[in-house]
Short mmCIF file of all heavy atoms in Angstrom, two decimals:
data_model
loop_
_atom_site.label_atom_id
_atom_site.label_comp_id
_atom_site.label_asym_id
_atom_site.label_seq_id
_atom_site.Cartn_x
_atom_site.Cartn_y
_atom_site.Cartn_z
N MET W 5 10.02 10.07 -1.36
CA MET W 5 9.63 8.82 -0.71
C MET W 5 8.75 8.03 -1.55
O MET W 5 7.87 8.51 -2.35
CB MET W 5 8.85 9.22 0.58
CG MET W 5 9.73 9.46 1.81
SD MET W 5 8.86 9.24 3.35
CE MET W 5 8.26 10.93 3.51
N PRO W 6 8.80 6.75 -1.45
CA PRO W 6 8.02 5.92 -2.31
C PRO W 6 6.53 5.82 -1.74
O PRO W 6 6.28 6.06 -0.73
CB PRO W 6 8.59 4.46 -2.19
CG PRO W 6 9.46 4.49 -0.98
CD PRO W 6 9.76 5.94 -0.68
N THR W 7 5.58 5.59 -2.82
CA THR W 7 4.24 5.60 -2.54
C THR W 7 3.67 4.16 -2.78
O THR W 7 4.07 3.56 -3.74
CB THR W 7 3.37 6.47 -3.42
OG1 THR W 7 3.86 7.80 -3.25
CG2 THR W 7 1.99 6.45 -3.07
N TYR W 8 2.98 3.68 -1.75
CA TYR W 8 2.38 2.32 -1.77
C TYR W 8 0.94 2.32 -2.00
O TYR W 8 0.18 3.04 -1.30
CB TYR W 8 2.79 1.60 -0.59
CG TYR W 8 4.34 1.48 -0.40
CD1 TYR W 8 4.84 2.42 0.62
CD2 TYR W 8 5.09 0.60 -0.94
CE1 TYR W 8 6.24 2.42 0.69
CE2 TYR W 8 6.47 0.56 -0.79
CZ TYR W 8 6.96 1.62 0.02
OH TYR W 8 8.46 1.54 0.19
N GLU W 9 0.43 1.59 -3.03
CA GLU W 9 -0.98 1.59 -3.25
C GLU W 9 -1.69 0.48 -2.39
O GLU W 9 -1.14 -0.68 -2.39
CB GLU W 9 -1.21 1.25 -4.68
CG GLU W 9 -1.01 2.48 -5.58
CD GLU W 9 -1.27 2.13 -7.01
OE1 GLU W 9 -2.40 1.61 -7.25
OE2 GLU W 9 -0.44 2.49 -7.85
N PHE W 10 -2.82 0.79 -1.78
CA PHE W 10 -3.65 -0.08 -1.00
C PHE W 10 -5.10 -0.03 -1.62
O PHE W 10 -5.45 0.93 -2.22
CB PHE W 10 -3.55 0.20 0.46
CG PHE W 10 -2.24 -0.23 1.06
CD1 PHE W 10 -1.25 0.64 1.00
CD2 PHE W 10 -2.23 -1.45 1.73
CE1 PHE W 10 -0.03 0.27 1.56
CE2 PHE W 10 -1.05 -1.85 2.37
CZ PHE W 10 0.14 -0.93 2.28
N PHE W 11 -5.77 -1.11 -1.24
CA PHE W 11 -7.25 -1.11 -1.57
C PHE W 11 -7.95 -1.41 -0.37
O PHE W 11 -7.66 -2.51 0.40
CB PHE W 11 -7.40 -2.19 -2.69
CG PHE W 11 -8.88 -2.22 -3.03
CD1 PHE W 11 -9.45 -1.42 -4.05
CD2 PHE W 11 -9.69 -3.24 -2.42
CE1 PHE W 11 -10.69 -1.50 -4.42
CE2 PHE W 11 -11.02 -3.40 -2.89
CZ PHE W 11 -11.62 -2.52 -3.82
N CYS W 12 -8.99 -0.68 -0.06
CA CYS W 12 -9.81 -0.98 1.22
C CYS W 12 -11.03 -1.82 0.80
O CYS W 12 -11.80 -1.49 -0.15
CB CYS W 12 -10.23 0.37 1.82
SG CYS W 12 -11.38 0.19 3.11
N HIS W 13 -11.17 -2.95 1.50
CA HIS W 13 -12.34 -3.82 1.22
C HIS W 13 -13.66 -3.27 1.90
O HIS W 13 -14.72 -3.63 1.42
CB HIS W 13 -12.08 -5.11 1.84
CG HIS W 13 -11.14 -5.94 0.99
ND1 HIS W 13 -11.55 -6.44 -0.24
CD2 HIS W 13 -9.95 -6.48 1.24
CE1 HIS W 13 -10.57 -7.11 -0.79
NE2 HIS W 13 -9.54 -7.18 0.09
N ARG W 14 -13.54 -2.36 2.77
CA ARG W 14 -14.70 -1.84 3.48
C ARG W 14 -15.43 -0.75 2.60
O ARG W 14 -16.60 -0.95 2.44
CB ARG W 14 -14.21 -1.18 4.83
CG ARG W 14 -15.57 -0.91 5.67
CD ARG W 14 -15.08 -0.64 7.04
NE ARG W 14 -16.16 -0.02 7.85
CZ ARG W 14 -15.99 0.57 8.98
NH1 ARG W 14 -14.75 0.62 9.54
NH2 ARG W 14 -16.96 1.15 9.62
N CYS W 15 -14.55 0.14 2.11
CA CYS W 15 -15.28 1.13 1.33
C CYS W 15 -14.87 0.95 -0.22
O CYS W 15 -15.33 1.77 -1.11
CB CYS W 15 -14.93 2.53 1.77
SG CYS W 15 -13.21 3.00 1.85
N SER W 16 -14.26 -0.16 -0.55
CA SER W 16 -14.00 -0.48 -2.02
C SER W 16 -13.34 0.55 -2.70
O SER W 16 -13.63 0.98 -3.90
CB SER W 16 -15.19 -0.98 -2.76
OG SER W 16 -15.78 -2.08 -2.10
N LYS W 17 -12.34 1.19 -2.01
CA LYS W 17 -11.62 2.40 -2.65
C LYS W 17 -10.17 2.19 -2.50
O LYS W 17 -9.66 1.78 -1.54
CB LYS W 17 -12.05 3.64 -1.96
CG LYS W 17 -13.41 4.15 -2.19
CD LYS W 17 -13.49 5.00 -3.38
CE LYS W 17 -14.78 5.75 -3.57
NZ LYS W 17 -16.02 5.28 -2.99
N PRO W 18 -9.46 2.50 -3.55
CA PRO W 18 -8.02 2.49 -3.49
C PRO W 18 -7.46 3.78 -2.73
O PRO W 18 -8.13 4.80 -2.83
CB PRO W 18 -7.52 2.56 -4.92
CG PRO W 18 -8.58 3.22 -5.67
CD PRO W 18 -9.91 2.95 -4.89
N PHE W 19 -6.30 3.53 -2.08
CA PHE W 19 -5.74 4.72 -1.53
C PHE W 19 -4.17 4.53 -1.53
O PHE W 19 -3.72 3.42 -1.69
CB PHE W 19 -6.26 5.06 -0.08
CG PHE W 19 -5.95 3.91 0.89
CD1 PHE W 19 -4.94 4.11 1.78
CD2 PHE W 19 -6.79 2.88 0.98
CE1 PHE W 19 -4.70 3.08 2.70
CE2 PHE W 19 -6.59 1.82 1.84
CZ PHE W 19 -5.53 1.92 2.79
N GLU W 20 -3.44 5.53 -1.13
CA GLU W 20 -1.93 5.52 -1.13
C GLU W 20 -1.46 5.78 0.27
O GLU W 20 -1.94 6.69 0.89
CB GLU W 20 -1.44 6.53 -2.28
CG GLU W 20 -1.81 6.00 -3.61
CD GLU W 20 -1.24 7.09 -4.74
OE1 GLU W 20 -0.80 8.12 -4.32
OE2 GLU W 20 -1.28 6.65 -5.89
N VAL W 21 -0.36 5.20 0.48
CA VAL W 21 0.36 5.43 1.68
C VAL W 21 1.79 5.90 1.29
O VAL W 21 2.44 5.02 0.49
CB VAL W 21 0.33 4.26 2.68
CG1 VAL W 21 1.25 4.44 3.90
CG2 VAL W 21 -1.03 3.93 3.00
N THR W 22 2.30 6.90 1.87
CA THR W 22 3.66 7.31 1.59
C THR W 22 4.46 7.05 2.78
O THR W 22 4.16 7.65 3.91
CB THR W 22 3.79 8.79 1.02
OG1 THR W 22 2.89 8.87 0.00
CG2 THR W 22 5.10 9.13 0.66
N CYS W 23 5.64 6.27 2.72
CA CYS W 23 6.51 6.16 3.84
C CYS W 23 7.90 5.82 3.28
O CYS W 23 8.01 5.32 2.18
CB CYS W 23 6.02 5.24 4.81
SG CYS W 23 6.10 3.48 4.32
N SER W 24 8.83 6.05 4.12
CA SER W 24 10.21 5.84 3.63
C SER W 24 10.49 4.27 3.79
O SER W 24 9.71 3.53 4.43
CB SER W 24 11.17 6.51 4.68
OG SER W 24 11.01 6.05 5.96
N ILE W 25 11.58 3.91 3.16
CA ILE W 25 11.90 2.45 3.23
C ILE W 25 12.20 1.91 4.61
O ILE W 25 11.78 0.93 5.05
CB ILE W 25 13.22 2.25 2.35
CG1 ILE W 25 13.02 2.65 0.92
CG2 ILE W 25 13.71 0.86 2.45
CD1 ILE W 25 12.13 1.69 0.07
N ALA W 26 12.77 2.81 5.35
CA ALA W 26 13.00 2.55 6.82
C ALA W 26 11.77 2.30 7.65
O ALA W 26 11.81 1.42 8.46
CB ALA W 26 13.99 3.62 7.45
N GLU W 27 10.79 3.07 7.22
CA GLU W 27 9.62 2.88 8.02
C GLU W 27 8.64 1.76 7.58
O GLU W 27 7.67 1.25 8.25
CB GLU W 27 8.70 4.20 7.83
CG GLU W 27 9.17 5.36 8.78
CD GLU W 27 8.15 6.58 8.59
OE1 GLU W 27 7.92 6.91 7.43
OE2 GLU W 27 7.89 7.14 9.55
N TYR W 28 8.84 1.41 6.29
CA TYR W 28 7.95 0.54 5.64
C TYR W 28 7.59 -0.68 6.42
O TYR W 28 6.35 -0.93 6.61
CB TYR W 28 8.64 0.07 4.31
CG TYR W 28 7.71 -0.84 3.56
CD1 TYR W 28 6.70 -0.44 2.77
CD2 TYR W 28 8.03 -2.28 3.62
CE1 TYR W 28 5.94 -1.34 1.98
CE2 TYR W 28 7.15 -3.13 2.81
CZ TYR W 28 6.19 -2.63 2.08
OH TYR W 28 5.35 -3.48 1.48
N GLY W 29 8.47 -1.51 6.94
CA GLY W 29 8.13 -2.82 7.55
C GLY W 29 7.23 -2.61 8.81
O GLY W 29 6.25 -3.33 8.91
N ARG W 30 7.47 -1.54 9.54
CA ARG W 30 6.60 -1.28 10.68
C ARG W 30 5.32 -0.72 10.31
O ARG W 30 4.28 -1.10 10.90
CB ARG W 30 7.44 -0.38 11.62
CG ARG W 30 6.81 -0.13 12.96
CD ARG W 30 7.62 0.74 13.85
NE ARG W 30 8.17 1.89 13.13
CZ ARG W 30 9.15 2.71 13.43
NH1 ARG W 30 9.77 2.35 14.64
NH2 ARG W 30 9.76 3.65 12.70
N LYS W 31 5.38 0.29 9.47
CA LYS W 31 4.21 1.07 9.15
C LYS W 31 3.12 0.27 8.34
O LYS W 31 1.90 0.38 8.56
CB LYS W 31 4.55 2.36 8.33
CG LYS W 31 3.53 3.40 8.27
CD LYS W 31 4.02 4.67 7.73
CE LYS W 31 2.93 5.73 7.60
NZ LYS W 31 3.50 7.08 7.29
N ILE W 32 3.66 -0.57 7.42
CA ILE W 32 2.76 -1.36 6.57
C ILE W 32 1.87 -2.44 7.26
O ILE W 32 0.78 -2.63 6.76
CB ILE W 32 3.61 -1.95 5.40
CG1 ILE W 32 3.16 -1.34 4.02
CG2 ILE W 32 3.45 -3.41 5.35
CD1 ILE W 32 3.45 0.13 3.85
N LYS W 33 2.44 -2.87 8.34
CA LYS W 33 1.54 -3.80 9.16
C LYS W 33 0.43 -3.18 9.80
O LYS W 33 -0.65 -3.80 10.01
CB LYS W 33 2.47 -4.45 10.26
CG LYS W 33 3.42 -5.47 9.60
CD LYS W 33 4.34 -6.01 10.75
CE LYS W 33 5.37 -6.81 10.20
NZ LYS W 33 6.55 -7.01 11.10
N ALA W 34 0.48 -1.91 10.09
CA ALA W 34 -0.55 -1.17 10.78
C ALA W 34 -1.33 -0.24 9.85
O ALA W 34 -1.98 0.65 10.43
CB ALA W 34 0.09 -0.42 11.98
N VAL W 35 -1.17 -0.42 8.60
CA VAL W 35 -1.89 0.62 7.70
C VAL W 35 -3.35 0.53 7.76
O VAL W 35 -3.89 -0.64 7.88
CB VAL W 35 -1.23 0.44 6.28
CG1 VAL W 35 -1.81 -0.92 5.58
CG2 VAL W 35 -1.60 1.52 5.40
N LYS W 36 -3.94 1.63 7.84
CA LYS W 36 -5.33 1.75 7.78
C LYS W 36 -5.86 2.59 6.60
O LYS W 36 -5.22 3.44 6.13
CB LYS W 36 -5.91 2.29 9.10
CG LYS W 36 -5.83 1.20 10.23
CD LYS W 36 -6.26 1.78 11.57
CE LYS W 36 -6.05 0.65 12.61
NZ LYS W 36 -6.04 1.24 13.91
N CYS W 37 -7.15 2.40 6.26
CA CYS W 37 -7.77 3.13 5.21
C CYS W 37 -7.81 4.61 5.63
O CYS W 37 -8.21 4.96 6.73
CB CYS W 37 -9.20 2.66 5.00
SG CYS W 37 -10.05 3.56 3.66
N THR W 38 -7.35 5.45 4.65
CA THR W 38 -7.35 6.83 5.02
C THR W 38 -8.70 7.45 5.02
O THR W 38 -8.92 8.62 5.49
CB THR W 38 -6.55 7.68 3.92
OG1 THR W 38 -7.02 7.27 2.64
CG2 THR W 38 -5.06 7.18 4.03
N LYS W 39 -9.72 6.75 4.45
CA LYS W 39 -11.11 7.29 4.36
C LYS W 39 -12.04 6.86 5.44
O LYS W 39 -12.71 7.64 6.04
CB LYS W 39 -11.73 6.95 3.03
CG LYS W 39 -10.94 7.60 1.81
CD LYS W 39 -11.57 7.23 0.48
CE LYS W 39 -11.05 7.90 -0.64
NZ LYS W 39 -9.56 7.45 -0.78
N CYS W 40 -11.95 5.54 5.72
CA CYS W 40 -12.85 4.98 6.85
C CYS W 40 -12.13 4.42 8.02
O CYS W 40 -12.74 4.13 8.90
CB CYS W 40 -13.77 3.85 6.19
SG CYS W 40 -12.89 2.36 5.83
N GLY W 41 -10.79 4.28 7.94
CA GLY W 41 -10.10 3.91 9.09
C GLY W 41 -10.05 2.46 9.32
O GLY W 41 -9.50 1.84 10.25
N SER W 42 -10.58 1.65 8.31
CA SER W 42 -10.59 0.14 8.46
C SER W 42 -9.21 -0.35 8.26
O SER W 42 -8.39 0.15 7.41
CB SER W 42 -11.62 -0.40 7.37
OG SER W 42 -11.50 -1.72 7.38
N SER W 43 -8.89 -1.46 8.82
CA SER W 43 -7.71 -2.17 8.62
C SER W 43 -7.83 -3.28 7.69
O SER W 43 -6.87 -4.10 7.39
CB SER W 43 -7.00 -2.77 9.91
OG SER W 43 -8.02 -3.55 10.64
N LYS W 44 -8.92 -3.42 6.99
CA LYS W 44 -9.22 -4.49 5.99
C LYS W 44 -8.71 -3.98 4.70
O LYS W 44 -9.47 -3.65 3.88
CB LYS W 44 -10.82 -4.75 5.90
CG LYS W 44 -11.20 -5.69 7.09
CD LYS W 44 -12.59 -6.22 6.83
CE LYS W 44 -12.99 -7.34 7.74
NZ LYS W 44 -14.25 -7.94 7.33
N VAL W 45 -7.41 -3.85 4.56
CA VAL W 45 -6.83 -3.40 3.36
C VAL W 45 -5.91 -4.42 2.80
O VAL W 45 -5.27 -5.20 3.56
CB VAL W 45 -6.16 -1.97 3.58
CG1 VAL W 45 -7.12 -0.96 4.19
CG2 VAL W 45 -5.05 -2.18 4.66
N VAL W 46 -5.68 -4.32 1.49
CA VAL W 46 -4.64 -5.17 0.81
C VAL W 46 -3.72 -4.29 -0.05
O VAL W 46 -4.14 -3.28 -0.53
CB VAL W 46 -5.36 -6.25 -0.06
CG1 VAL W 46 -6.06 -7.29 0.78
CG2 VAL W 46 -6.30 -5.54 -1.04
N ARG W 47 -2.59 -4.67 -0.06
CA ARG W 47 -1.53 -4.11 -0.91
C ARG W 47 -1.78 -4.30 -2.26
O ARG W 47 -2.10 -5.37 -2.72
CB ARG W 47 -0.16 -4.58 -0.45
CG ARG W 47 1.01 -4.09 -1.29
CD ARG W 47 1.52 -2.78 -0.65
NE ARG W 47 2.35 -2.24 -1.68
CZ ARG W 47 3.68 -2.58 -1.93
NH1 ARG W 47 4.18 -3.46 -1.04
NH2 ARG W 47 4.42 -2.01 -2.75
N ARG W 48 -1.68 -3.22 -3.12
CA ARG W 48 -1.80 -3.40 -4.53
C ARG W 48 -0.38 -3.17 -5.19
O ARG W 48 0.29 -2.16 -4.93
CB ARG W 48 -2.69 -2.31 -5.15
CG ARG W 48 -4.11 -2.50 -4.66
CD ARG W 48 -5.01 -1.48 -5.30
NE ARG W 48 -5.43 -1.76 -6.71
CZ ARG W 48 -5.82 -0.84 -7.43
NH1 ARG W 48 -6.01 0.37 -7.13
NH2 ARG W 48 -6.19 -1.24 -8.74
N ILE W 49 0.02 -4.09 -5.95
CA ILE W 49 1.38 -4.00 -6.63
C ILE W 49 1.10 -3.41 -8.01
O ILE W 49 0.47 -4.04 -8.76
CB ILE W 49 2.09 -5.32 -6.64
CG1 ILE W 49 1.97 -6.13 -5.35
CG2 ILE W 49 3.47 -5.22 -7.11
CD1 ILE W 49 2.90 -5.51 -4.26
N SER W 50 1.84 -2.37 -8.30
CA SER W 50 1.61 -1.77 -9.61
C SER W 50 2.50 -2.60 -10.52
O SER W 50 3.32 -3.34 -10.21
CB SER W 50 2.14 -0.34 -9.58
OG SER W 50 3.47 -0.22 -9.58
N ALA W 51 2.20 -2.53 -11.90
CA ALA W 51 2.89 -3.14 -12.97
C ALA W 51 4.39 -2.75 -12.92
O ALA W 51 5.21 -3.66 -13.13
CB ALA W 51 2.38 -2.81 -14.27
N PHE W 52 4.64 -1.60 -12.63
CA PHE W 52 6.06 -1.08 -12.56
C PHE W 52 6.88 -1.85 -11.48
O PHE W 52 7.99 -2.37 -11.69
CB PHE W 52 6.18 0.34 -12.33
CG PHE W 52 7.55 0.89 -12.24
CD1 PHE W 52 8.35 1.04 -13.32
CD2 PHE W 52 8.01 1.24 -10.97
CE1 PHE W 52 9.60 1.50 -13.24
CE2 PHE W 52 9.28 1.69 -10.84
CZ PHE W 52 10.09 1.79 -11.91
N GLN W 53 6.28 -1.95 -10.38
CA GLN W 53 6.91 -2.56 -9.26
C GLN W 53 7.21 -4.13 -9.39
O GLN W 53 8.07 -4.60 -9.10
CB GLN W 53 6.11 -2.32 -7.84
CG GLN W 53 6.33 -0.87 -7.45
CD GLN W 53 5.39 -0.67 -6.19
OE1 GLN W 53 4.26 -0.95 -6.30
NE2 GLN W 53 5.93 0.04 -5.24
N VAL W 54 6.20 -4.80 -10.06
CA VAL W 54 6.33 -6.11 -10.35
C VAL W 54 7.47 -6.51 -11.34
O VAL W 54 8.30 -7.32 -11.30
CB VAL W 54 4.95 -6.69 -10.98
CG1 VAL W 54 5.16 -8.06 -11.46
CG2 VAL W 54 3.89 -6.65 -9.86
N GLN W 55 7.49 -5.60 -12.32
CA GLN W 55 8.58 -5.66 -13.28
C GLN W 55 10.01 -5.47 -12.67
O GLN W 55 10.90 -6.26 -12.88
CB GLN W 55 8.45 -4.53 -14.35
CG GLN W 55 8.52 -5.02 -15.77
CD GLN W 55 8.18 -4.01 -16.78
OE1 GLN W 55 8.23 -2.83 -16.50
NE2 GLN W 55 7.92 -4.36 -17.92
N THR W 56 9.99 -4.45 -11.69
CA THR W 56 11.34 -4.30 -11.08
C THR W 56 11.72 -5.47 -10.14
O THR W 56 12.90 -5.82 -10.20
CB THR W 56 11.24 -2.98 -10.23
OG1 THR W 56 10.72 -2.03 -11.06
CG2 THR W 56 12.58 -2.61 -9.67
N ALA W 57 10.76 -5.98 -9.56
CA ALA W 57 11.01 -7.17 -8.58
C ALA W 57 11.49 -8.35 -9.39
O ALA W 57 12.38 -9.18 -8.90
CB ALA W 57 9.75 -7.55 -7.83
N LYS W 58 10.98 -8.54 -10.58
CA LYS W 58 11.41 -9.70 -11.40
C LYS W 58 12.85 -9.66 -11.89
O LYS W 58 13.55 -10.65 -11.96
CB LYS W 58 10.45 -9.82 -12.69
CG LYS W 58 9.23 -10.69 -12.31
CD LYS W 58 8.41 -10.76 -13.58
CE LYS W 58 7.05 -11.34 -13.17
NZ LYS W 58 6.13 -11.27 -14.45
N LYS W 59 13.23 -8.46 -12.01
CA LYS W 59 14.64 -8.24 -12.51
C LYS W 59 15.65 -8.55 -11.54
O LYS W 59 16.69 -9.08 -11.79
CB LYS W 59 14.83 -6.78 -12.97
CG LYS W 59 14.35 -6.54 -14.41
CD LYS W 59 14.67 -5.11 -14.89
CE LYS W 59 14.04 -4.67 -16.12
NZ LYS W 59 14.21 -3.33 -16.37
N SER W 60 15.34 -8.20 -10.21
CA SER W 60 16.38 -8.34 -9.18
C SER W 60 16.37 -9.80 -8.52
O SER W 60 15.54 -10.65 -8.82
CB SER W 60 16.14 -7.29 -8.08
OG SER W 60 14.88 -7.46 -7.58
ZN1 ZN G 111 -11.97 2.36 3.63
#
């Protein structure tokens, strides 16, 4: 399963969320920090994923 990187603004810590492609759309909207439970999180795009997106 792919892993998605997020960054929590509340505790200023990065964390990862693992979910399937099928779950992604629904799950990513409700993602919360795994440490503090805050929903003030932003998606972090890794260099690899950006590169892949540009190709397609
Ligand atoms: Zn947090």
Side-chain angles (χ1 to χ4, degrees):
M5 274 202 273
T7 302
Y8 303 95
E9 285 184 47
F10 284 84
F11 180 85
C12 175
H13 280 298
R14 191 167 166 192
C15 57
S16 297
K17 291 267 188 344
F19 64 98
E20 291 179 347
V21 173
T22 304
C23 70
S24 67
I25 301 288
E27 279 182 321
Y28 178 81
R30 184 177 46 194
K31 196 168 180 177
I32 242 65
K33 284 178 191 164
V35 70
K36 285 178 180 164
C37 176
T38 54
K39 294 179 179 68
C40 70
S42 172
S43 55
K44 283 192 169 186
V45 297
V46 290
R47 174 85 192 277
R48 295 180 78 197
I49 313 289
S50 77
F52 176 77
Q53 285 172 313
V54 171
Q55 226 172 23
T56 307
K58 276 180 184 171
K59 276 183 189 172
S60 58

